[in-house]
Amino acid sequence: MALKAVQLDRETISCPICLDLLKDPVTIPCGHSYCKNCIKDHWDTEDEKRIYSCPQCRKSFIPRPELLKNTMLAVLVEELKKTGLQAAPADHCYAGPEDVACDVCTGRKLRAVKSCLQCVASYCEKHLQPHYQSATLKKHKLVEPSEKLQENICSRHDEVMKMFCRTDQQCICYLCSMDEHKGHDTVSAAAERTERQRELEGSRHNIQQRIQDREKDVKLLQQEVEAINGSADKAVEHSEKIFTQLIRLMEERRSDVKQQVRSQQETEVSRVKELQEKLEQEITELKRKDAELKKLSHTEDHTQFLHNYPSLSALSESTHSSSIKIRPRKYFEDVTAAVSEVRDKLQDVLRETWTNILLTVTQVDVLLSEPEPETRVLSRESLTGRCYWEVEWRGDGVGVAVAYKNISRGGSSDECGFGFNDKSWRLYCRTNNYEFYHNKVKTRVSGPRSSRIGVYLDHRAGILSFYSVSDTMTLLHRVQTTFTQPLYTCCVSIIVAES
């Protein structure tokens, strides 16, 4: 009983506006009490109307009543404070911007804990108690706090919409079912909810199944990504090793050529310098002999002249030819020519095989791409979509090509030739071989000979494929690129001139 009395005292001496313990309590003419500042601020907002009302009972006063302190309540407040009890709830119990506020609270509203669909109102814990205590109110449907309760009220009859019109697919009130919805297929909202709930569960089951399927797909795709990355890493690693070996081999060959040239250079220069030294020695000896003969020629003593002449006039035989034959000064130019020939051959090999290497790379296809045809299914789609067509040929051969519309059409330059510019792609089909051309680059193509060629185009994916068609389809060549314009087909007969 004492606890109940204390609770009653707390409710009695709480301000209905701020919900806190009364501060400077005052009592207005209708008998309700407020904090002095709370009621003063409330009435200040009513100055323009000059009619002052009680926030609780709405009784009006003219003129504005004088606010007098309620001494008894002030004493009770002080006594209650001494017990350590507080009348105001904690701050987190008040309704914030994101909360549903209690419709009964005045002043600073508490957060609602439930909404009543019958009352079309939301209540805090305190004001919800009657719904737990009254036999009538216990039958009301309580739900989680909602700000959309007014959507449950019929705008025409101001009644709770407890029925559902299946004809018009909308919630209605009982009066609506007797008025504009009379004769319609109507059921209670609860019955419709039960039906829709079953549909909802079915939908949820389908969604959850799809989620599981998609999660499996995502897992598979993740594995695909890991496989692609792993395979690409290995390909790059092995390619790096192979190219490193090629580079090392080229470096070794370059070093060998350099060493051989320098060695031969040293040998030849040494031979030439040795001969040059001997010739210079011979020149020195001849000059000395010439000087002695000159001196002898000026001797006036005939006897001395005749005595010395035989020994001075005798010349030693030269060990070298009187003339040296010099070859045309090319020397190591033949080496340069040989190395250039190797370079040209390597360039030809790289040019012929490089496109195939790149095509092999682009042939790596992910699960998401459209599959190329495995059977001869002709397509009527435009050449900006996915198309397949066949060309049957006979005679010396045929050139099967696709090209942009703005390719040059006159003259005999490469700009007009299919496969000899960047605006066309062409497969040459002859009786004994295939060749593919694009932008002057020739690629040799191997495959079974056939008088029927299939062409597959996926314009968006940038795929152009050529097939040898007989009882089966065999891929001859595939291009992976980016097409910037619509493509047009063309065929050119090949005539081999008779010798």
Side-chain angles (χ1 to χ4, degrees):
M1 291 296 290
L3 181 60
K4 185 175 182 181
V6 172
Q7 182 67 26
L8 181 61
D9 288 341
R10 288 178 57 184
E11 295 176 359
T12 303
I13 61 177
S14 295
C15 175
I17 295 178
C18 69
L19 301 178
D20 203 348
L21 288 176
L22 288 164
K23 300 179 183 65
D24 296 329
V26 295
T27 302
I28 62 176
C30 64
H32 292 111
S33 300
Y34 300 92
C35 296
K36 183 177 181 179
N37 288 335
C38 289
I39 191 63
K40 178 179 179 298
D41 293 340
H42 177 72
W43 281 349
D44 286 345
T45 61
E46 296 183 335
D47 276 344
E48 293 183 1
K49 298 185 292 183
R50 298 189 180 281
I51 299 177
Y52 306 94
S53 60
C54 174
Q56 286 186 277
C57 66
R58 299 301 179 185
K59 186 174 182 179
S60 300
F61 312 105
I62 301 175
R64 179 170 177 166
E66 182 181 359
L67 297 176
L68 299 175
K69 183 176 181 179
N70 189 321
T71 307
M72 183 178 293
L73 283 177
V75 173
L76 286 174
V77 170
E78 292 303 321
E79 289 296 327
L80 187 58
K81 284 182 178 179
K82 290 178 182 180
T83 65
L85 299 174
Q86 294 294 326
D91 285 342
H92 67 269
C93 293
Y94 290 112
E98 304 298 327
D99 298 321
V100 178
C102 175
D103 291 320
V104 181
C105 289
T106 57
R108 186 178 180 186
K109 294 181 177 292
L110 292 177
R111 187 173 64 243
V113 294
K114 291 291 182 180
S115 294
C116 178
L117 297 182
Q118 278 73 20
C119 299
V120 195
S122 300
Y123 302 101
C124 64
E125 191 67 44
K126 173 184 174 182
H127 294 119
L128 184 63
Q129 294 306 313
H131 278 76
Y132 295 141
Q133 298 167 357
S134 169
T136 302
L137 296 180
K138 283 182 180 180
K139 299 178 180 179
H140 288 189
K141 178 67 173 178
L142 297 177
V143 296
E144 292 302 310
S146 173
E147 292 181 344
K148 300 181 178 180
L149 292 177
Q150 289 300 319
E151 294 180 3
N152 296 340
I153 303 299
C154 175
S155 60
R156 181 171 181 179
H157 302 106
D158 200 28
E159 293 285 341
V160 177
M161 295 186 290
K162 297 181 179 180
M163 304 189 72
F164 184 81
C165 178
R166 288 177 171 171
T167 304
D168 295 329
Q169 290 294 302
Q170 67 181 73
C171 291
I172 61 175
C173 70
Y174 177 75
L175 294 178
C176 288
S177 67
M178 306 297 292
D179 193 0
E180 65 266 28
H181 293 271
K182 185 177 181 179
H184 289 188
D185 182 11
T186 59
V187 294
S188 68
E192 185 66 15
R193 165 65 187 273
T194 301
E195 182 67 24
R196 296 290 179 90
Q197 186 72 25
R198 284 196 293 266
E199 294 179 5
L200 182 146
E201 294 301 327
S203 298
R204 285 198 63 205
H205 175 76
N206 293 335
I207 289 173
Q208 290 169 0
Q209 184 62 47
R210 288 181 63 182
I211 290 174
Q212 293 178 3
D213 295 341
R214 294 301 174 265
E215 287 177 344
K216 290 180 181 178
D217 292 341
V218 169
K219 187 175 181 180
L220 289 175
L221 289 177
Q222 181 60 36
Q223 294 174 352
E224 185 77 7
V225 169
E226 293 173 358
I228 291 172
N229 290 339
S231 179
D233 291 342
K234 288 183 180 179
V236 170
E237 180 183 356
H238 293 162
S239 298
E240 287 290 326
K241 289 181 179 179
I242 294 171
F243 280 111
T244 300
Q245 292 171 356
L246 287 174
I247 293 171
R248 185 183 298 116
L249 179 61
M250 295 300 294
E251 290 288 346
E252 290 175 357
R253 293 296 177 264
R254 184 179 70 172
S255 178
D256 290 345
V257 171
K258 180 179 179 181
Q259 182 179 355
Q260 290 293 332
V261 169
R262 292 304 184 195
S263 177
Q264 188 65 22
Q265 173 190 10
E266 183 178 352
T267 299
E268 293 303 317
V269 169
S270 177
R271 288 177 56 213
V272 171
K273 285 188 174 181
E274 181 182 357
L275 178 59
Q276 182 181 359
E277 289 176 358
K278 290 180 179 181
L279 291 176
E280 288 177 347
Q281 289 176 1
E282 185 176 346
I283 291 172
T284 301
E285 180 65 23
L286 291 173
K287 285 182 177 180
R288 185 186 63 77
K289 180 71 71 174
D290 181 63
E292 291 179 349
L293 289 175
K294 180 179 179 181
K295 181 179 179 182
L296 180 63
S297 66
H298 291 88
T299 300
E300 295 180 354
D301 188 341
H302 301 310
T303 301
Q304 288 293 324
F305 177 87
L306 293 174
H307 176 73
N308 292 325
Y309 177 74
S311 61
L312 292 177
S313 62
L315 295 177
S316 60
E317 185 177 354
S318 176
T319 59
H320 300 284
S321 174
S322 60
S323 63
I324 296 177
K325 295 181 180 180
I326 303 298
R327 290 180 299 172
R329 295 187 177 182
K330 291 185 178 180
Y331 306 118
F332 296 99
E333 280 81 350
D334 291 342
V335 176
T336 303
V339 173
S340 297
E341 183 179 358
V342 172
R343 178 201 61 195
D344 294 340
K345 289 182 178 180
L346 284 175
Q347 287 179 341
D348 290 340
V349 171
L350 288 176
R351 185 180 298 111
E352 292 176 2
T353 60
W354 193 248
T355 302
N356 289 334
I357 293 175
L358 294 181
L359 286 173
T360 303
V361 173
T362 56
Q363 284 173 359
V364 175
D365 205 355
V366 186
L367 297 175
L368 301 177
S369 62
E370 293 283 355
E372 292 189 21
E374 297 180 357
T375 58
R376 296 162 56 186
V377 180
L378 297 180
S379 172
R380 296 182 180 179
E381 298 180 27
S382 68
L383 292 186
T384 56
R386 297 178 65 240
C387 312
Y388 176 80
W389 66 97
E390 294 182 357
V391 176
E392 188 168 1
W393 64 279
R394 60 178 58 87
D396 297 324
V398 67
V400 181
V402 295
Y404 293 148
K405 188 174 183 179
N406 62 351
I407 187 174
S408 297
R409 304 187 185 185
S412 58
S413 67
D414 289 341
E415 293 301 318
C416 307
F418 295 118
F420 290 91
N421 47 67
D422 61 353
K423 298 179 180 180
S424 59
W425 294 259
R426 181 175 186 176
L427 179 70
Y428 278 95
C429 308
R430 295 188 176 90
T431 55
N432 58 348
N433 72 321
Y434 296 108
E435 291 177 349
F436 177 79
Y437 283 85
H438 173 63
N439 207 16
K440 300 182 183 178
V441 177
K442 179 178 72 173
T443 303
R444 298 187 184 278
V445 177
S446 61
R449 301 292 175 263
S450 172
S451 61
R452 187 179 294 271
I453 300 299
V455 185
Y456 169 75
L457 171 67
D458 188 335
H459 193 280
R460 180 182 62 83
I463 296 174
L464 176 64
S465 302
F466 296 90
Y467 295 87
S468 172
V469 179
S470 54
D471 293 335
T472 59
M473 294 179 64
T474 303
L475 179 65
L476 296 175
H477 188 71
R478 187 171 84 160
V479 176
Q480 180 72 63
T481 185
T482 300
F483 297 117
T484 58
Q485 303 176 36
L487 289 168
Y488 294 82
T489 63
C490 50
C491 294
V492 179
S493 298
I494 300 175
I495 300 176
V496 179
E498 297 183 357
S499 56

